[in-house]
Amino acid sequence: MTSFRYSHLPVYLLYFITAQSLPAHAHSHHDSELTEEQLNAPIDSILWIHMALQAIVWGVIFPIGMVFGLTRSRWHVPLQSLAFALTFGGIFLGHAHKGRQFPHSFHGSIGSWILLPILAQLFLGVYLKLHIHERTLRPYAVRAHGIIGRLWPILGWVQGLFGVIVLRGFCGKGGAGQCAAHYIMGSAFIAYGIIMAMLLVVGENWVRRSGRSPEWWDSWVIMLWGIVNTFTEHHGGLWSVKDMQHTILGVLWWTGGALGIFLARNNQRNVVPGLIIILTGWAMAEHAQALMLSTQVHAMFGYTLMLAGAARIIEICFITTTSSATGSLDDNDSEHTLAPALGNYGESRSKATTARAFRHLPPFLLIASGLLFMSATDEELDGVSDSGMDHVTYILGMYSLAFLLYLHTLFLLHLYSSSGRNADSVQTTRDVVFSASPNGEIELTSSGNASKWYAPVPREEGAMHAVGEDEE
């Protein structure tokens, strides 16, 4: 049986939080103790609408609005205004439903406290639209508005997770620690994959400006997490097998993280984080579980994590990217040349495309491993076993969710790179014309110095190639 000792220091905070889901007190909008009939009543349509509405608002509309805010899109204000109106309606429905009633929980507490950042964000948004105090208060308001806005996906994830816990009745007194361990570590793997995807799609320039390789940041997080884990897994008394396994994982992380930091000095890449991910996956796959279903799900989680580490090592060692090239290119080697004099451009472009395709594998596998681990608590798998579902169906279902989550992540990143102030740069790359140079090479050039695609008069440097017309 998986114990809460997968956890780390933050787990003890979450242990206290999830324990609040116990039926100790009535929910904030209940006036009396809940009866057995109220706790087991069917879920009414109002509550289903509440769940669907808040899932759409916090999972889709708010993140899209956040991206529009980052790109200064004109759609930011109307979309976020719609989201705020819908979430207020969802909060009302959450307190107005009939049917099944729920005991006091942290989900309900967050639902009340979350009004503070919502109202603060609304106030800041209205204040910024007034364009007053431009040189005094406004710069600070802009920064505060941005910080709170970036917290929105995290708030939505945490609140949604606690909502599922309350709905399913998970994480009671006996399972709160295990829930904390699985949900924190699983969410950490998902966040790791999303951040890796961000660096892949839109963050390479930031990495270069930082002067630090991605493995430098990875290694610091791994080392600090390992230090905490080393001293929080054994709580006195005799050492059990699980105590020893979890403690040695902490030692593995801080020793390996320290090595990774040293190897990553001077902006150098290294394979240590990938190797640590592989070893962690192997250790997780070897954990003995009470149910055969649990053993198989944990094994698949470990194998997925091992594959993610192996893919990361392959990417670092064997997959090169064009962004790592330095120096200027002459005209014959230009990115815009369709038929260069040298025959190696097509090959290099093909390699760059292959590299970018392969680099999606590690972040996706990290997201999949995180979802698998979050779905592997004893309470969840007991319910799956009782329903008659086999491990193949369950694991493929988790992978299906991973595909959807990674698709949503990439959609938001694509939206960031093609909307608002970033749309101009995308449009510039599309506004190109074909021109023929004197030596016969075809060059893609910007239309900024050409009137239109089909120019009737040749340009001075070379003849304009009119697409679709027969050559005379």
Side-chain angles (χ1 to χ4, degrees):
M1 182 180 296
T2 306
S3 71
F4 70 91
R5 293 186 178 88
Y6 282 125
S7 59
H8 312 293
L9 184 61
V11 170
Y12 297 102
L13 175 60
L14 192 56
Y15 182 96
F16 170 78
I17 289 171
T18 53
Q20 302 305 307
S21 63
L22 299 176
H25 304 283
H27 192 26
S28 57
H29 58 273
H30 300 159
D31 296 326
S32 60
E33 280 294 322
L34 298 177
T35 65
E36 195 69 23
E37 182 181 0
Q38 289 175 313
L39 291 171
N40 296 301
I43 298 175
D44 71 343
S45 58
I46 294 179
L47 187 57
W48 283 116
I49 295 173
H50 160 78
M51 291 185 286
L53 183 63
Q54 295 294 58
I56 293 172
V57 170
W58 288 87
V60 179
I61 302 179
F62 268 138
I64 293 176
M66 178 193 70
V67 171
F68 283 153
L70 293 173
T71 61
R72 304 293 191 270
S73 170
R74 69 178 186 274
W75 293 104
H76 169 66
V77 172
L79 192 62
Q80 294 299 70
S81 300
L82 172 64
F84 280 124
L86 292 177
T87 199
F88 280 127
I91 292 173
F92 172 78
L93 294 176
H95 289 268
H97 70 87
K98 305 299 182 182
R100 183 181 302 178
Q101 305 298 310
F102 300 91
H104 172 73
S105 68
F106 200 68
H107 176 74
S109 299
I110 291 181
S112 300
W113 284 100
I114 208 170
L115 290 173
L116 293 178
I118 288 177
L119 294 176
Q121 194 73 334
L122 278 173
F123 171 80
L124 289 170
V126 173
Y127 172 79
L128 292 175
K129 291 298 291 183
L130 297 177
H131 292 278
I132 57 177
H133 310 130
E134 294 284 350
R135 296 187 179 182
T136 54
L137 297 179
R138 182 178 170 82
Y140 298 100
V142 170
R143 179 164 296 185
H145 189 67
I147 292 174
I148 297 176
R150 287 171 174 85
L151 292 177
W152 242 235
I154 300 175
L155 291 175
W157 177 264
V158 172
Q159 178 68 335
L161 189 57
F162 280 114
V164 173
I165 290 172
V166 172
L167 178 67
R168 299 300 304 274
F170 292 153
C171 308
K173 184 176 181 180
Q178 189 190 71
C179 281
H182 280 254
Y183 293 158
I184 286 180
M185 182 174 282
S187 298
F189 282 127
I190 293 172
Y192 191 4
I194 291 175
I195 292 172
M196 192 179 293
M198 291 171 60
L199 295 179
L200 164 65
V201 178
V202 298
E204 289 188 353
N205 289 333
W206 177 86
V207 172
R208 286 197 296 270
R209 289 196 304 268
S210 72
R212 302 289 188 181
S213 68
E215 289 71 40
W216 188 86
W217 303 100
D218 295 352
S219 298
W220 267 107
V221 174
I222 291 171
M223 186 186 73
L224 294 175
W225 201 319
I227 291 173
V228 173
N229 196 77
T230 299
F231 299 103
T232 57
E233 294 301 328
H234 180 65
H235 305 283
L238 297 176
W239 283 76
S240 68
V241 173
K242 290 186 179 294
D243 285 342
M244 292 185 282
Q245 287 180 345
H246 300 147
T247 300
I248 199 62
L249 273 176
V251 175
L252 172 76
W253 293 338
W254 71 257
T255 54
L259 175 61
I261 293 171
F262 180 78
L263 293 176
R265 70 192 191 283
N266 299 326
N267 199 21
Q268 297 298 309
R269 305 202 68 182
N270 66 86
V271 301
V272 172
L275 181 59
I276 293 175
I277 292 174
I278 292 174
L279 293 173
T280 302
W282 171 76
M284 296 296 181
E286 293 297 314
H287 272 297
Q289 307 297 323
L291 293 174
M292 178 57 67
L293 174 64
S294 182
T295 299
Q296 291 165 328
V297 172
H298 277 79
M300 190 61 185
F301 158 66
Y303 299 150
T304 303
L305 205 56
M306 292 167 67
L307 186 58
R312 184 73 185 278
I313 292 176
I314 293 172
E315 178 219 329
I316 293 170
C317 295
F318 305 107
I319 305 296
T320 59
T321 60
T322 56
S323 62
S324 61
T326 58
S328 60
L329 300 173
D330 59 23
D331 290 339
N332 286 336
D333 291 326
S334 169
E335 291 183 328
H336 305 295
T337 303
L338 294 182
L342 300 177
N344 62 352
Y345 176 71
E347 181 180 356
S348 63
R349 185 178 182 86
S350 176
K351 289 182 178 179
T353 303
T354 302
R356 183 163 290 274
F358 184 87
R359 292 177 67 193
H360 283 288
L361 188 56
F364 167 74
L365 291 172
L366 285 169
I367 290 175
S369 65
L371 287 173
L372 282 170
F373 195 58
M374 292 180 69
S375 66
T377 65
D378 289 343
E379 290 175 307
E380 290 172 296
L381 295 180
D382 282 340
V384 173
S385 179
D386 293 340
S387 71
M389 185 184 299
D390 69 332
H391 68 283
V392 174
T393 304
Y394 189 65
I395 290 172
L396 292 182
M398 292 302 107
Y399 262 90
S400 300
L401 290 177
F403 280 123
L404 285 177
L405 182 54
Y406 196 62
L407 170 64
H408 186 45
T409 300
L410 293 183
F411 169 74
L412 293 176
L413 295 176
H414 168 74
L415 203 62
Y416 174 82
S417 61
S418 59
S419 64
R421 62 184 178 186
N422 296 331
D424 296 335
S425 61
V426 175
Q427 185 64 33
T428 300
T429 60
R430 292 176 179 171
D431 294 339
V432 294
V433 296
F434 293 100
S435 61
S437 61
N439 60 5
E441 293 178 356
I442 301 175
E443 183 78 12
L444 284 172
T445 58
S446 172
S447 60
N449 55 358
S451 59
K452 56 184 177 180
W453 276 74
Y454 303 97
V457 180
R459 299 169 64 187
E460 295 181 359
E461 293 81 7
M464 181 70 64
H465 185 75
V467 180
E469 294 184 2
D470 295 332
E471 300 285 344
E472 295 187 359

